[in-house]
Amino acid sequence: RGEGVFYLELCDAPVQFEKVSTVNNVFFDEANKQVFAVRSGGATGVVVKGPDDKSCMSFRMEDKGEVKCIKFSLGNKILAMQRTLKTVDFINFIPDLPQTEYSQECKNIMKICQTVSVGRTFASESEGCRSFRIKAVMTGLKNLCFIMVSLCCPLCAKKKLDVHRRRKDCYHSPLQSGTMSKMLKFEIELPAIPKSGSLCLSERDITMAILYGQLYVLYLKHQGRTPNNPGAEVILYYLPREGPCKKTHILKLNVTGKFALNVVDNLVVVHHQSSQTSMIFDIKLRAEFDGAVTIHHTVLPPLSIHPCKIPRAGEHFNRNSSSWSVFQPDIIINASEGYLWCLQVKLQPIVHMLQDKGRLMDFLLQRKDCKMVILSVCCQLLSATERGSLSVIATIFDKLNQFYKEYLEAEQNYTLAVESGTSRGSSAQKPVRAQAVIDQSDMYTHVLSVFTNQDLPHKFISAVLMEYIRSLNQYQIIVQHYLYELVIKTLVQHSLFYMLHQFLQYHVLSDSKPLACLLLSLESTYPPAHQLCLDMLKRLSTANDEIVEVLLSKHQVLGALRFIRSVGGHDNISARKFLDAAKQTGDNMLFYTTFKFFEQRNQRLRGSPNFTPGEHCEEHIDHFKSLFGEQALLKAMVV
């Protein structure tokens, strides 16, 4: 590794293959991300390397001439090879089937594209596109369709194609669909060659990519740098499922020269060869809109990719290199050294490079592995050394809770669909929880509980906690009781009892049984907390049993009896519980009054003052007799 700051890097575990030599040719299949090392036309072996063990294999085949293109179908069941401009050969790699070789002829084949695991599409300038389905058992192909292409197909184009009009025919075939969809023609702004003045379009300047789940054509437009024109740009055309293609975004490069494009984690990465730097663009970030398209500039200044050491080259450190070959979406290959890497985004360095915290959060929330980085940004904003303003902190909380709310709504809608049965036979899918969903538990564990233990002004701590609760309420997210507990403990710790009273009085802290229990536990520190607890339990109207328990724990037996009678529950309460509490006080008159209360209840309910055996009050009957005698008369007691 080198020193410095970098926001792009190559993966730590590259795919290694036999490098290009006079006897070894290397090919790459973008669909399967497989590298083919073909030695001596395959006679001395073909070694296939891929991202996992299932995609790796080696075999031999008969040398029938130089291999121009080679790739497997999805699932590695059928091998396709192109040795001539007019023929494609196939070999079965299906269990229980012989590895028979068979062929298909077409006129002037330009490229082989796979559409499904047993399908191939050929393209030629004269014929257009032909789609075939391979019949492996019969060792033959079925002609599925024939498509004339006026000028070129961006998935199946020649290396260079002169264009005399500004229109293209495009065909899109998702790998698993098995169908080819013709898209409506659309205009592109072709640059003129400086010397001849004619229009020219190269295959390397056109690519297709999926950004945030949408299909785009990315067109690299080269143009000279002038005061009114800062250089090349990448133009994005959105390709909807239905309707015309539309130019939606322009990425300003501000330089000229040779470029290559990757798409990594929904970011467009533009590599500039002469400066050996790369730029990243995020079409989700706020940008200038001119009424028709959105104009984007690079998120951060251009930087080289983090250097990596190539073991075969000794101490050589490799940066953006002119010997690299770039493939979609995120593949970089160095055929001369025999390495294939996946390009990756490093989020942690970006935290320190992007000063606008709101924009930083917008950027991070769209990234795949963002959770711990986002939490670290929150900790940083709340730290004693880099304390952010409350307005910035509030903005961050709102952005986090907006994502949180969207996930909760999606989850709720899915649950309702399942319960109602409407999801059966439909496309309803359980929402996947992305790392951008930072819930209350995440914030409490990794940020807020740590933050409250720092040496910071108590008013700032309280304000931040309440700001997070305010944000949750704004998005109608039910606040978990442990956040309220954290607020109360913080206020008590700093003796901010007046603020605690205000928060409870104005219902800033929502009533709950756990919160009431916490208030009760604070009675020794703050005696009024006992009454605050009772008031909260009474407001809940579902905590009568808890109120009785609190009163009995404080030996307020008569108060408990009055309360339970006021809510109409005195006919169902346990006499033994109250008699136990009265006896424990050691107050004989309190015990007498409690005993007589239940005698009256028994008389009213059953016509007799006696306790039934099921009430298990024998001990208390004996205690009453020992205190007041056998002949104690039943008297009407008003409690």
Side-chain angles (χ1 to χ4, degrees):
R1 298 289 184 183
E3 296 181 354
V5 178
F6 308 91
Y7 49 72
L8 292 170
E9 65 179 354
L10 304 177
C11 64
D12 291 328
V15 175
Q16 299 184 40
F17 55 90
E18 186 174 347
K19 62 183 180 181
V20 173
S21 66
T22 54
V23 296
N24 182 62
N25 288 330
V26 175
F27 304 90
F28 178 65
D29 178 12
E30 291 182 82
N32 289 317
K33 295 187 177 181
Q34 290 175 315
V35 178
F36 291 77
V38 182
R39 296 192 298 270
S40 304
T44 57
V46 177
V47 179
V48 184
K49 295 290 187 71
D52 51 52
D53 294 337
K54 293 182 180 180
S55 57
C56 299
M57 63 179 70
S58 61
F59 54 88
R60 292 188 179 185
M61 58 187 187
E62 186 178 351
D63 184 3
K64 295 184 178 180
E66 179 186 359
V67 175
K68 300 181 181 297
C69 178
I70 184 170
K71 57 183 65 180
F72 268 111
S73 64
L74 298 178
N76 299 330
K77 293 182 178 180
I78 299 173
L79 180 72
M81 296 165 292
Q82 183 183 356
R83 294 188 177 101
T84 70
L85 293 176
K86 297 183 179 181
T87 306
V88 178
D89 301 321
F90 299 90
I91 301 178
N92 293 334
F93 280 79
I94 303 174
D96 303 326
L97 283 182
Q99 290 189 359
T100 306
E101 185 170 328
Y102 46 100
S103 303
Q104 176 67 42
E105 289 189 3
C106 283
K107 294 181 180 179
N108 194 19
I109 297 172
M110 295 191 306
K111 198 167 187 178
I112 309 171
C113 300
Q114 56 182 311
T115 57
V116 289
S117 57
V118 291
R120 293 282 168 182
T121 299
F122 308 146
S124 69
E125 183 180 9
S126 58
E127 287 194 346
C129 290
R130 281 191 179 274
S131 181
F132 297 87
R133 182 172 296 278
I134 301 173
K135 295 183 176 181
V137 178
M138 301 174 62
T139 63
L141 283 77
K142 178 183 178 182
N143 192 348
L144 295 181
C145 64
F146 171 77
I147 305 171
M148 284 301 298
V149 184
S150 305
L151 298 174
C152 71
C153 171
L155 292 180
C156 318
K158 291 202 313 180
K159 289 295 180 184
K160 185 173 282 189
L161 183 67
D162 287 333
V163 180
H164 301 290
R165 292 185 297 159
R166 295 189 176 188
R167 291 187 175 271
K168 293 165 55 69
D169 283 351
C170 295
Y171 295 87
H172 173 229
S173 177
L175 285 176
Q176 300 295 341
S177 70
T179 61
M180 295 185 70
S181 303
K182 182 178 180 179
M183 291 171 254
L184 297 177
K185 294 180 180 180
F186 61 95
E187 293 186 355
I188 62 173
E189 302 167 0
L190 295 176
I193 300 177
K195 292 182 179 180
S196 64
S198 62
L199 300 175
C200 181
L201 179 66
S202 172
E203 180 196 17
R204 63 176 294 164
D205 296 334
I206 293 285
T207 188
M208 299 181 77
I210 295 177
L211 295 170
Y212 296 106
Q214 304 291 342
L215 183 63
Y216 290 87
V217 169
L218 278 62
Y219 164 46
L220 178 59
K221 182 181 179 182
H222 297 275
Q223 49 193 7
R225 190 167 185 175
T226 64
N228 297 327
N229 195 345
E233 55 191 26
V234 177
I235 303 176
L236 274 63
Y237 295 87
Y238 169 53
L239 302 179
R241 291 179 179 271
E242 297 180 358
C245 179
K246 183 180 180 181
K247 182 169 122 176
T248 55
H249 301 273
I250 296 178
L251 315 182
K252 293 290 187 178
L253 306 185
N254 296 324
V255 287
T256 59
K258 292 185 178 180
F259 301 92
L261 302 179
N262 274 133
V263 174
V264 183
D265 202 2
N266 288 314
L267 296 171
V268 178
V269 181
V270 183
H271 308 287
H272 186 223
Q273 187 182 83
S274 61
S275 65
Q276 294 190 338
T277 60
S278 301
M279 298 168 269
I280 57 174
F281 295 86
D282 186 354
I283 63 171
K284 280 278 189 177
L285 287 183
R286 299 184 307 275
E288 175 189 350
F289 182 68
D290 66 0
V293 298
T294 306
I295 301 172
H296 301 265
H297 297 276
T298 181
V299 176
L300 292 165
L303 288 177
S304 295
I305 297 173
H306 195 152
C308 68
K309 185 177 180 180
I310 298 180
R312 290 178 183 169
E315 295 301 318
H316 174 64
F317 283 83
N318 196 15
R319 292 176 180 264
N320 301 49
S321 173
S322 58
S323 63
W324 286 356
S325 297
V326 175
F327 297 92
Q328 296 306 318
D330 57 355
I331 301 298
I332 292 178
I333 294 179
N334 188 330
S336 62
E337 296 293 342
Y339 281 89
L340 179 151
W341 295 276
C342 289
L343 187 62
Q344 299 172 341
V345 179
K346 299 176 65 175
L347 297 181
Q348 195 61 53
I350 296 176
V351 170
H352 305 286
M353 299 174 68
L354 205 53
Q355 298 302 315
D356 184 337
K357 297 304 179 186
R359 189 172 179 81
L360 171 64
M361 196 58 60
D362 288 337
F363 177 85
L364 293 177
L365 284 168
Q366 303 294 341
R367 307 286 74 82
K368 182 176 60 177
D369 298 320
C370 64
K371 184 171 185 176
M372 296 313 298
V373 180
I374 288 175
L375 292 172
S376 72
V377 171
C378 293
C379 288
Q380 184 185 90
L381 278 173
L382 302 180
S383 66
T385 55
E386 301 185 34
R387 199 172 89 195
S389 67
L390 273 178
S391 61
V392 172
I393 293 169
T395 299
I396 299 302
F397 287 162
D398 287 344
K399 291 179 183 296
L400 295 180
N401 289 326
Q402 181 180 359
F403 267 76
Y404 183 20
K405 177 63 174 179
E406 289 172 358
Y407 170 75
L408 291 177
E409 287 181 341
E411 193 175 51
Q412 183 181 23
N413 292 336
Y414 172 78
T415 302
L416 293 174
V418 171
E419 292 176 351
S420 63
T422 57
S423 64
R424 296 177 182 177
S426 69
S427 59
Q429 294 183 346
K430 184 176 179 61
V432 178
R433 177 166 179 160
Q435 288 205 15
V437 178
I438 309 294
D439 62 19
Q440 297 174 68
S441 177
D442 296 325
M443 286 295 293
Y444 176 84
T445 303
H446 299 283
V447 181
L448 299 178
S449 60
V450 179
F451 158 69
T452 54
N453 291 322
Q454 295 186 71
D455 185 17
L456 288 165
H458 56 265
K459 289 186 178 180
F460 177 72
I461 294 176
S462 302
V464 169
L465 295 177
M466 296 313 301
E467 197 60 57
Y468 184 63
I469 291 174
R470 187 270 320 155
S471 180
L472 291 170
N473 288 327
Q474 177 177 319
Y475 287 96
Q476 300 179 331
I477 301 172
I478 298 175
V479 182
Q480 296 299 315
H481 68 86
Y482 49 76
L483 291 176
Y484 289 138
E485 290 177 3
L486 185 61
V487 173
I488 291 176
K489 289 179 179 178
T490 301
L491 295 176
V492 172
Q493 180 182 354
H494 296 286
S495 300
L496 299 174
F497 301 116
Y498 71 94
M499 191 177 293
L500 173 60
H501 246 98
Q502 286 184 326
F503 285 169
L504 294 171
Q505 180 181 356
Y506 295 104
H507 306 291
V508 176
L509 305 179
S510 299
D511 297 337
S512 69
K513 292 180 182 179
L515 206 57
C517 293
L518 175 61
L519 289 172
L520 186 64
S521 69
L522 298 173
E523 183 183 5
S524 59
T525 305
Y526 183 53
H530 172 74
Q531 189 59 46
L532 291 173
C533 165
L534 291 175
D535 293 342
M536 180 176 291
L537 290 174
K538 191 170 183 179
R539 287 195 299 270
L540 288 171
S541 72
T542 58
N544 294 338
D545 292 341
E546 286 80 1
I547 293 175
V548 170
E549 293 295 336
V550 170
L551 292 171
L552 292 180
S553 69
K554 302 296 292 182
H555 305 301
Q556 298 178 14
V557 181
L558 295 182
L561 286 173
R562 291 190 185 98
F563 170 75
I564 203 66
R565 189 169 61 181
S566 70
V567 296
H570 55 294
D571 288 347
N572 302 315
I573 59 175
S574 168
R576 182 179 176 180
K577 177 190 291 187
F578 284 81
L579 292 171
D580 282 343
K583 184 179 178 181
Q584 290 173 7
T585 65
D587 186 339
N588 293 339
M589 289 309 298
L590 176 61
F591 182 79
Y592 180 88
T593 303
T594 305
F595 191 89
K596 288 300 180 179
F597 174 88
F598 287 103
E599 272 193 342
Q600 284 183 328
R601 185 187 73 167
N602 295 341
Q603 181 70 38
R604 179 169 49 84
L605 295 178
R606 296 192 295 269
S608 170
N610 298 327
F611 292 92
T612 62
E615 292 181 279
H616 305 292
C617 292
E618 292 80 3
E619 174 189 348
H620 298 296
I621 294 172
D622 294 339
H623 183 63
F624 182 83
K625 290 179 181 179
S626 67
L627 291 175
F628 305 106
E630 188 88 22
Q631 302 300 320
L633 298 177
L634 175 64
K635 296 182 180 179
M637 304 290 295
V638 180
V639 180

